[in-house]
Amino acid sequence: MVPEDHPYGVHNLPFGVFSDGSGPPRAGVAVGEEVLDLAPLLGDDPFRAETLNPFLARGRPFWDETRRRLQDLLTGTAQAEAVRPHLFPREAVRLHLPFEVADFADFYSSLEHATRAGRILRPGEEPLKPNWRHLPVGYHGRAGTVIVSGTPVRRPYGQLKPPDAAPELAPTRRLDLEAEIGYVVGTPSIPGARVTVDDFHDHVFGLVLLIDWSARDIQAWEAAPLGPFLAKSFATTISPWVVPLDALGDAWVPSPPRDPAPLPYLTGAADRGLDLRLEVEIGGTVVSRPPYRSMYWTPAQQLAHLTVNGARLRTGDLYGSGTVSGDADGTQGSLLELTVNGARPMRLDDGSELGFLRDGDAVVLRGHAPGPGGRTVGLGEARAVIEPATA
Amino acid sequence: MVPEDHPYGVHNLPFGVFSDGSGPPRAGVAVGEEVLDLAPLLGDDPFRAETLNPFLARGRPFWDETRRRLQDLLTGTAQAEAVRPHLFPREAVRLHLPFEVADFADFYSSLEHATRAGRILRPGEEPLKPNWRHLPVGYHGRAGTVIVSGTPVRRPYGQLKPPDAAPELAPTRRLDLEAEIGYVVGTPSIPGARVTVDDFHDHVFGLVLLIDWSARDIQAWEAAPLGPFLAKSFATTISPWVVPLDALGDAWVPSPPRDPAPLPYLTGAADRGLDLRLEVEIGGTVVSRPPYRSMYWTPAQQLAHLTVNGARLRTGDLYGSGTVSGDADGTQGSLLELTVNGARPMRLDDGSELGFLRDGDAVVLRGHAPGPGGRTVGLGEARAVIEPATA
């Protein structure tokens, strides 16, 4: 029914929310070039909702059962007639924000990114703060401005402080992106109870691609001493298809060596990396291919850290990996790094020079991972066009 | 029907969510020593919900109309018989979290607090960062761990870095509180559209008392360079009764002098202070009486700043004033200040010494404001007992 080697083949089955013009938004699964309407096929209430949250809240046993049912329906020849009426061409549907975001936290877990950013932003100082190798540094972002791929991003105004001049309110001149992975929590936790590294698969349903838009000049002025605030809160873009952890069984890799050894609460069998391969395209030119597999802190560690103080998880919680950056040139996940804070502009294929993002730039973050039997697991894409600021 | 001089008289009418053991949680208004069950009296759907969000979402015209109807019903003698069946003794009901928190942001807007905290935490440096007098510094917190008054607060574990020793995972030894006011957003805003200082009354329904629990040792270790994270995310306590701005008409005061003058987007007629009088009690001893009226940045400025980048507001957004501290001894809103980071413990009425919070300490934040004709507007209280850490 679906070509075996399609990145959205039956080995993937990512979940999203779609509408087809004749009916409200509802849950669907991407199957090849089509979207499968889940509620009429499976008859379960959670799929009638306008967000995936009711499905996510059902937890691991229901996720597993749903996946088994879908794989049976999509691979058995006898069921093809039952399935076909519920397939919509993907290009004909509209995709919505797949889940209502409860809390959004964002980490800072690439050693290469943190080191390079530290060197650029605090030259002459030790690039990593003393805590960096001991815990996954993170902060809370704004859940209400997480938007779905395809939504334009308007260049934000903010307070800027030019060197040797008074602060002013102006559109950011240093609009950047950070290429990240976002983890989607389904099963809530009990307030006060710690979620361990090895509880990761019980709570996290899957992942999305995430663009953490960042206004570097607003950030530079506002962030002392409480961290980034309005420099990040205007928009965060996620891909429309939540790829289940179950599709990524072949993508796990050992976590990288760490020195010093993490404290025991940051250890466990689920402390593993994922071989996710990203690609950042700006204005039609691929500017970077960040490798996720070498991230210093893994998603299971981030979840354990997030809850070590007893903070509860809610269905719809989203946490970002932090900028994914590799060691080599052409693998940096932000323009801050790629252009050394704008000082060394890149040449795009159309001949133009890029320091930070320009009005009209189309930004695309794509990703894929190795799947079973040499197949590819598509992570889809998160994209946005930069619109000019309006007062 | 209600004594005129009661802090919850008809000049106040704060909204909350209660249950009486025979029925689900629902909207109520505190009237003297009783709670008025709104749905059966007013017949409006929003009051049947388990949170105030549907009511808050209706916006200023509906809030005003509801207030007029309630004041008519509660002051007309003819209506007393209609009202009486819907009153429950306050002491007999259970109070719930009054609204579902969308995003929680927290500011840092007392000049006295920021100066004193800067001196204590960064001795020898300029206490205020260069941005402080130009914008209301803030950060995002965790919405999912905002809890209602009366819920115990468990001492959190976290990563600490003792001087001259390796980091360890341990219960915080420096558990603090910050006395704050929290503003409750009702009317959402359009994504990308700025909310001005003078839009304040259209979007904000009212305020609560807010205790921003803070683990100072966790914060000191984790917060570079992205700000406080787990040091604050384990719990934030709010009072159960949301006091409408309409009850505070007599409490407005001119905003304090500022130097330099704020940028135009932080100015407007609604840039005013509020004469809110707070009281912090620990273990039965009043340890501080922080005056809100002198806060450097006002709530209308904070709202304008929060949205200057186009970030939308959602119903249920909550933003904290930042620690309320005055200039004089005995008006500091945190133990960090009251005990100089634990170095000068306070003597409580029971003879014990208090540096930071101890297991078993009962903390109460109370507040009131001047009302019409010399009456008092009660802000109620936010309280919690500190429970010992559990692994």
Side-chain angles (χ1 to χ4, degrees):
Chain A
M1 195 153 191
V2 187
E4 266 220 346
D5 58 351
H6 195 288
Y8 287 160
V10 293
H11 59 291
N12 189 343
L13 301 181
F15 283 68
V17 170
F18 78 102
S19 59
D20 67 330
S22 77
R26 56 205 188 269
V29 156
V31 183
E33 296 300 320
E34 295 172 297
V35 176
L36 181 59
D37 193 356
L38 292 174
L41 184 66
L42 302 182
D44 287 305
D45 275 347
F47 303 121
R48 286 183 233 285
E50 299 201 2
T51 73
L52 294 178
N53 296 56
F55 166 67
L56 294 171
R58 293 287 294 269
R60 175 60 56 196
F62 188 74
W63 307 337
D64 289 349
E65 183 201 324
T66 302
R67 185 172 175 84
R68 272 195 307 272
R69 289 176 69 190
L70 287 172
Q71 289 185 327
D72 285 351
L73 284 163
L74 290 165
T75 51
T77 46
Q79 290 91 338
E81 288 314 299
V83 169
R84 203 168 313 279
H86 307 299
L87 288 170
F88 294 79
R90 236 186 326 131
E91 60 184 19
V93 304
R94 183 169 163 215
L95 297 173
H96 301 265
L97 188 68
F99 57 98
E100 191 186 353
V101 182
D103 270 300
F104 170 44
D106 199 14
F107 288 93
Y108 182 59
S109 291
S110 154
L111 178 64
E112 294 77 11
H113 169 72
T115 305
R116 225 185 262 114
R119 284 202 186 110
I120 293 167
L121 298 174
R122 298 180 293 273
E125 288 180 40
E126 201 53 53
L128 293 182
K129 298 284 182 186
N131 56 13
W132 200 92
R133 287 174 177 274
H134 295 275
L135 54 82
V137 170
Y139 66 101
H140 282 100
R142 193 161 182 85
T145 50
V146 176
I147 55 181
V148 72
S149 176
T151 312
V153 169
R154 191 173 293 284
R155 179 180 301 275
Y157 270 78
Q159 217 183 101
L160 319 176
K161 172 74 176 66
D164 308 318
E168 58 177 337
L169 182 69
T172 175
R173 297 174 195 125
R174 293 177 176 253
L175 183 58
D176 199 356
L177 68 107
E178 298 189 337
E180 304 196 15
I181 298 296
Y183 290 88
V184 182
V185 171
T187 315
S189 70
I190 296 162
R194 205 180 283 178
V195 175
T196 70
V197 164
D198 288 332
D199 294 332
F200 175 72
H201 291 264
D202 291 335
H203 290 275
V204 171
F205 170 72
L207 56 82
V208 290
L209 300 169
L210 185 150
I211 303 177
D212 176 23
W213 305 100
S214 302
R216 299 296 180 195
D217 39 10
I218 297 173
Q219 187 176 350
W221 176 232
E222 75 174 358
L226 301 183
F229 186 37
L230 303 185
K232 306 265 196 176
S233 69
F234 55 98
T236 304
T237 299
I238 62 172
S239 54
W241 295 109
V242 185
V243 174
L245 292 183
D246 281 334
L248 296 164
D250 292 86
W252 292 105
V253 294
S255 53
R258 283 118 176 183
D259 180 20
L263 283 169
Y265 80 95
L266 294 170
T267 63
D271 166 29
R272 291 185 295 171
L274 272 169
D275 182 13
L276 310 178
R277 299 156 195 196
L278 307 185
E279 181 179 284
V280 180
E281 181 188 293
I282 301 176
T285 303
V286 173
V287 299
S288 180
R289 292 194 169 85
Y292 180 81
R293 63 177 294 151
S294 59
M295 296 289 280
Y296 194 89
W297 297 107
T298 60
Q301 289 177 315
Q302 291 171 330
L303 190 71
H305 187 62
L306 188 64
T307 60
V308 72
N309 65 356
R312 70 165 172 156
L313 299 174
R314 291 184 295 168
T315 298
D317 278 352
L318 171 69
Y319 64 97
S321 60
T323 310
V324 181
S325 282
D327 202 35
D329 251 15
T331 66
Q332 304 96 324
S334 67
L335 290 174
L336 173 73
E337 296 161 85
L338 285 163
T339 71
V340 191
N341 207 14
R344 289 193 218 156
M346 313 183 73
R347 179 78 64 181
L348 301 191
D349 295 346
D350 64 5
S352 67
E353 278 202 342
L354 176 76
F356 284 100
L357 292 171
R358 304 156 304 182
D359 292 345
D361 275 340
V363 177
V364 190
L365 172 63
R366 295 188 189 89
H368 66 274
R375 279 168 282 184
T376 292
V377 178
L379 306 182
E381 59 180 41
R383 64 160 66 220
V385 171
I386 307 302
E387 292 192 337
T390 52
Chain B
M1 195 151 192
V2 186
E4 266 219 345
D5 59 352
H6 196 286
Y8 286 161
V10 294
H11 60 289
N12 190 346
L13 301 181
F15 284 67
V17 169
F18 77 102
S19 59
D20 67 328
S22 78
R26 54 204 189 269
V29 156
V31 183
E33 298 299 321
E34 295 172 297
V35 175
L36 181 58
D37 192 358
L38 292 173
L41 185 66
L42 301 181
D44 288 305
D45 275 347
F47 303 121
R48 285 184 235 283
E50 299 200 3
T51 74
L52 294 178
N53 296 56
F55 167 68
L56 294 170
R58 293 288 294 269
R60 176 59 59 195
F62 187 74
W63 306 337
D64 290 350
E65 184 202 324
T66 303
R67 185 172 176 84
R68 273 195 307 273
R69 288 177 69 192
L70 286 172
Q71 288 185 328
D72 286 351
L73 283 164
L74 290 164
T75 52
T77 45
Q79 290 91 338
E81 288 313 301
V83 168
R84 201 166 316 275
H86 307 298
L87 288 171
F88 294 78
R90 235 185 328 127
E91 59 185 21
V93 304
R94 181 169 163 212
L95 297 172
H96 301 264
L97 189 69
F99 57 99
E100 190 186 354
V101 182
D103 269 299
F104 170 44
D106 198 16
F107 288 94
Y108 183 60
S109 291
S110 155
L111 179 63
E112 293 77 11
H113 169 72
T115 306
R116 224 184 264 113
R119 283 202 186 110
I120 293 168
L121 298 175
R122 297 179 293 273
E125 288 180 41
E126 201 53 54
L128 293 181
K129 297 285 181 185
N131 57 13
W132 200 92
R133 286 173 178 274
H134 294 276
L135 55 81
V137 170
Y139 67 100
H140 282 101
R142 192 160 184 87
T145 49
V146 175
I147 54 181
V148 71
S149 175
T151 312
V153 169
R154 190 171 295 282
R155 179 180 300 275
Y157 271 78
Q159 219 184 97
L160 320 176
K161 172 73 177 69
D164 310 316
E168 59 175 338
L169 182 68
T172 175
R173 296 173 197 127
R174 293 177 176 255
L175 183 59
D176 199 356
L177 67 110
E178 298 189 338
E180 304 197 16
I181 298 295
Y183 291 89
V184 182
V185 171
T187 314
S189 69
I190 296 163
R194 206 179 283 177
V195 174
T196 71
V197 165
D198 287 334
D199 295 332
F200 174 73
H201 292 265
D202 291 335
H203 289 275
V204 171
F205 170 71
L207 57 80
V208 290
L209 301 170
L210 185 150
I211 303 177
D212 175 22
W213 305 101
S214 302
R216 299 298 180 196
D217 39 10
I218 298 174
Q219 187 175 352
W221 176 232
E222 74 174 359
L226 300 182
F229 186 37
L230 303 186
K232 306 264 196 177
S233 69
F234 56 98
T236 305
T237 299
I238 63 173
S239 54
W241 296 110
V242 185
V243 174
L245 292 183
D246 282 335
L248 296 165
D250 292 86
W252 292 104
V253 294
S255 53
R258 282 116 177 187
D259 183 20
L263 283 168
Y265 81 95
L266 294 171
T267 64
D271 166 29
R272 291 185 295 173
L274 273 169
D275 183 12
L276 312 178
R277 301 158 195 189
L278 306 184
E279 181 178 286
V280 180
E281 182 187 293
I282 301 176
T285 303
V286 173
V287 298
S288 180
R289 292 194 168 84
Y292 181 81
R293 63 178 293 152
S294 59
M295 295 290 280
Y296 194 90
W297 298 106
T298 61
Q301 290 177 314
Q302 291 171 330
L303 191 71
H305 187 62
L306 189 64
T307 60
V308 72
N309 65 356
R312 69 164 173 156
L313 300 174
R314 290 183 296 168
T315 299
D317 279 351
L318 170 69
Y319 64 96
S321 60
T323 310
V324 181
S325 282
D327 202 35
D329 251 14
T331 67
Q332 303 97 320
S334 67
L335 291 174
L336 173 73
E337 297 162 85
L338 285 163
T339 71
V340 192
N341 207 14
R344 289 194 220 156
M346 312 184 73
R347 180 77 62 182
L348 301 191
D349 295 348
D350 64 5
S352 67
E353 280 203 339
L354 177 76
F356 285 100
L357 293 171
R358 305 156 302 181
D359 291 345
D361 274 341
V363 178
V364 190
L365 173 63
R366 298 189 188 87
H368 67 274
R375 279 169 283 184
T376 292
V377 178
L379 307 182
E381 59 180 40
R383 65 159 67 221
V385 172
I386 307 302
E387 291 192 337
T390 52

